Amino acid sequence: MSAISPEMKAELKDEFHLDQEEIDNYASVFALFDEDGNGTIDIDELEKMISKLTETAAPSRKKLEAMMESVDADGDGTIDFREFVTLMTNRVKHDD
């Protein structure tokens, strides 16, 4: 399992105005998605996790690709921790 550096956590904590518990929770959830521990979430890991969380079939590959593209800010085809935190903080703001 990939460990997210304390420096990265501190940087994102400040950037997104999170407390330590929030950034640690995001890191724990990210680690669940990042099954191979390489520090990114690829489309296959996203598909597996959505299936586990919803207990139904994951969305179509086309929908998964659209989800990835909407989050993948650097265009490398994966979701890194910074992109994940961006997604989660935007989602929390919209849920309020």
Side-chain angles (χ1 to χ4, degrees):
M1 176 161 63
S2 127
I4 296 158
S5 74
E7 294 81 9
M8 173 63 78
K9 285 184 181 181
E11 180 181 326
L12 295 176
K13 185 177 145 193
D14 291 343
E15 182 177 336
F16 291 97
H17 309 288
L18 302 170
D19 63 35
Q20 191 62 48
E21 183 178 1
E22 288 171 313
I23 199 72
D24 289 342
N25 286 340
Y26 288 150
S28 295
V29 172
F30 183 85
L32 291 174
F33 278 86
D34 181 20
E35 290 184 332
D36 62 8
N38 70 350
T40 62
I41 299 168
D42 64 30
I43 196 163
D44 294 325
E45 291 168 325
L46 180 64
E47 180 178 30
K48 287 178 194 173
M49 191 53 63
I50 289 172
S51 292
K52 287 179 187 176
L53 292 173
T54 62
E55 297 181 359
T56 61
S60 69
R61 195 70 170 188
K62 187 174 182 176
K63 286 184 180 178
L64 285 168
E65 289 169 358
M67 291 171 76
M68 289 290 289
E69 287 175 20
S70 71
V71 177
D72 181 18
D74 62 9
D76 68 354
T78 63
I79 301 170
D80 62 26
F81 188 57
R82 175 179 296 283
E83 293 163 337
F84 183 78
V85 171
T86 300
L87 169 70
M88 296 304 291
T89 56
N90 286 339
R91 183 174 177 193
V92 168
K93 286 178 191 171
H94 285 94
D95 287 348
D96 286 346

